[in-house]
């Protein structure tokens, strides 16, 4: 196959349009971040019910990862991302007009289904339009820019809601999704001109690899999961981002305002610092991940888990409301989880053959959203069990006990990261397998 280098300007244009769509997808995903109390009042929802908005949205997102992989392999990025934007538009329109909590939850599920198509689609564009050496940095850059969607959800969205109405705000987001769906369809292309398949070119060696997957067969899924590096990627993505996701997606603002007694402006400032720190750390994590591929878990993933766990325990144990500086440190600690979670995709890409790329990416992406939905639900359930499940009954002590439900998720994740890292190193020949008793010399 004759391969001509893709024009750099066109690759960056396509990536730029796709990332702009991803920013909007993140805004859709976190659009209840700063208006969770408003949603609770509008739908008369207790904490468990409010959790279900995010839980079912994330559940649909996670469940759609493998089907999205199938469709990306069969149809390419352009139609799948376009369909994702239109699904989110439908979800936000239903959200704008929803008369009750049941319809609103269904709307969030539609948003989750559409959101599921966007990030994997951008990852595929990176694999097909950019040299392989740039992938770790490009993935981190995508994650950094995507965090801008959280800023939109935290500040302008809440301001528009309080200045207009629920229907106008969410109807406006629906209109933006339609607009970006049109832009994606008009400007994004599956692969550079002259190529008959989605391929990635190693510009140092000239090696060409087809970006495809056997994800639509049970054999392909089993083969991908059977590699310990895929499981290492899954558990890395499971363990690192969920605390930040739960904080930024639903429970951070209520905890800071109704629990810690901070003003709305202070709470928004803390969550904004969370987003900005994640943006700064992203390229650092990407560069380090490329430089120390055999130390990713010990040098990047596990330290971020430890930082998050320790900071939460300090905030929870603090006598009385935590000082503002400590809450800012909590936001900074939680911000490490997002960039660290993207390291998981480097595990998946490095150790899986090209024909299972989409499979490995989909399985990895499920991890973080599975842990996030469990975390969000457990926090809401813990609040309800303490009789503090509505905005009128939110209580600092109840919030602190509720956030302790995250600790078992961290411990489970760390255990499997250590286990699968060892198995991966044995698989690729860096470590020797432990000798069985029967094989040991007498």
């Amino acid at each position: 196959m004759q391969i001509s280098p893709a024009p750099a300007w066109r690759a960056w244009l396509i990536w730029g349009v796709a990332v702009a769509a991803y920013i909007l997808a993140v805004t859709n995903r976190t659009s209840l971040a700063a208006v969770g109390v408003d949603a609770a009042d509008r739908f008369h929802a207790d904490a468990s019910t409010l959790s279900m908005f995010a839980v079912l949205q994330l559940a649909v997102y996670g469940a759609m990862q493998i089907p999205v992989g199938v469709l990306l392999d069969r149809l390419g990025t352009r139609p799948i991302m376009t369909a994702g934007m239109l699904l989110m538009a439908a979800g936000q329109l239903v959200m704008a007009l929803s008369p009750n909590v049941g319809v609103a939850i269904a709307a969030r599920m539609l948003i989750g289904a559409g959101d599921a198509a966007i990030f994997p689609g951008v990852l595929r564009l990176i694999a097909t339009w950019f040299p392989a050496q740039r992938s770790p940095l490009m993935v981190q850059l995508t994650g950094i820019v995507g965090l801008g969607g959280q800023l939109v959800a935290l500040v302008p969205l809440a301001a528009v809601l309080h200045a207009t109405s629920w229907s106008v705000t969410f109807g406006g987001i629906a209109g933006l999704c339609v607009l970006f769906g049109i832009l994606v369809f008009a400007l994004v292309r599956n692969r550079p001109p002259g190529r008959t398949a989605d391929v990635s070119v190693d510009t140092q060696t000239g090696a060409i690899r087809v970006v495809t997957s056997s994800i639509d067969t049970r054999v392909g899924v089993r083969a991908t999961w059977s590699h310990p590096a895929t499981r290492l990627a899954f558990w890395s993505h499971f363990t690192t981002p969920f605390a930040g996701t739960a904080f930024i997606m639903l429970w951070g603002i209520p905890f800071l305002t109704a629990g810690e007694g901070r003003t709305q402006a202070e709470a928004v400032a803390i969550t904004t610092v969370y987003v900005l720190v994640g943006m700064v750390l992203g390229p650092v994590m990407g560069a380090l991940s490329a430089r120390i591929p055999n130390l990713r878990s010990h040098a990047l993933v596990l330290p971020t888990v430890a930082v998050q766990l320790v900071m939460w325990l300090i905030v929870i144990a603090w006598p009385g409301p935590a000082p503002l500086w400590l809450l800012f440190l909590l936001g900074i600690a939680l911000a490490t989880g997002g960039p660290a979670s993207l390291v998981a995709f480097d595990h998946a890409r490095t150790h899986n053959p090209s024909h299972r790329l989409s499979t490995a990416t989909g399985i990895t992406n499920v991890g973080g959203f599975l842990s996030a939905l469990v975390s969000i639900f457990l926090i809401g359930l813990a609040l309800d069990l303490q009789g503090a499940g509505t905005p009128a009954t939110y209580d600092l002590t109840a919030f602190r006990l509720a956030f302790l439900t995250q600790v078992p998720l961290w411990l489970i994740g760390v255990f499997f990261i250590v286990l699968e890292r060892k198995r991966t190193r044995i698989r690729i020949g860096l470590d020797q397998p432990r000798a069985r008793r029967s094989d040991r010399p007498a």
Side-chain angles (χ1 to χ4, degrees), residues 9-92:
W9 67 267
R10 190 169 188 182
W12 284 104
L13 173 65
I14 287 173
W15 178 81
V17 171
V19 168
Y22 178 52
I23 292 172
L24 184 55
V26 174
T27 301
N28 278 277
R29 183 189 308 164
T30 55
S31 54
L32 291 183
V35 299
V37 174
D38 300 86
D41 288 336
R42 176 180 175 86
F43 298 111
H44 309 290
D46 60 19
S48 294
T49 304
L50 191 61
S51 291
M52 294 308 293
F53 281 90
V55 166
L56 290 176
Q57 176 186 337
L58 292 177
V60 170
Y61 181 104
M64 286 294 294
Q65 287 304 297
I66 290 180
V68 162
V70 175
L71 294 171
L72 281 170
D73 291 330
R74 290 180 175 176
L75 303 176
T77 299
R78 179 191 183 200
I80 301 308
M81 286 190 67
T82 302
M85 298 308 299
L86 296 180
L87 272 175
M88 285 189 286
Q92 292 291 22

Side-chain angles (χ1 to χ4, degrees), residues 40 74 89 114 141 163 184 216 260 270 278 342:
R74 290 180 175 176
L141 187 58
V184 167
D216 55 328
E260 292 285 352
I270 291 167
L342 296 180

Side-chain angles (χ1 to χ4, degrees), residues 246-307:
F247 191 83
I248 201 70
M249 194 167 180
L250 191 61
W251 291 120
I253 297 291
F255 165 69
L256 294 170
T257 54
E260 292 285 352
R262 295 295 165 184
T263 66
Q264 183 75 15
E266 289 172 332
V268 169
I270 291 167
T271 49
T272 299
V273 166
Y274 163 91
V275 175
L276 294 177
V277 170
M279 289 180 168
V280 172
L281 286 178
V284 177
M285 290 273 192
L288 288 174
S289 178
R291 286 176 177 269
I292 52 171
N294 295 326
L295 294 173
R296 286 167 177 158
S297 297
H298 281 177
L300 300 176
V301 174
L302 294 176
T304 64
V305 175
V307 166

Side-chain angles (χ1 to χ4, degrees), residues 318-350:
W318 196 270
L324 189 60
W325 62 265
L326 182 59
L327 295 174
F328 271 107
L329 287 180
L330 174 65
I332 292 170
L334 295 178
T336 64
S341 73
L342 296 180
V343 173
F345 295 102
D346 295 335
H347 286 309
R349 184 185 60 256
T350 301

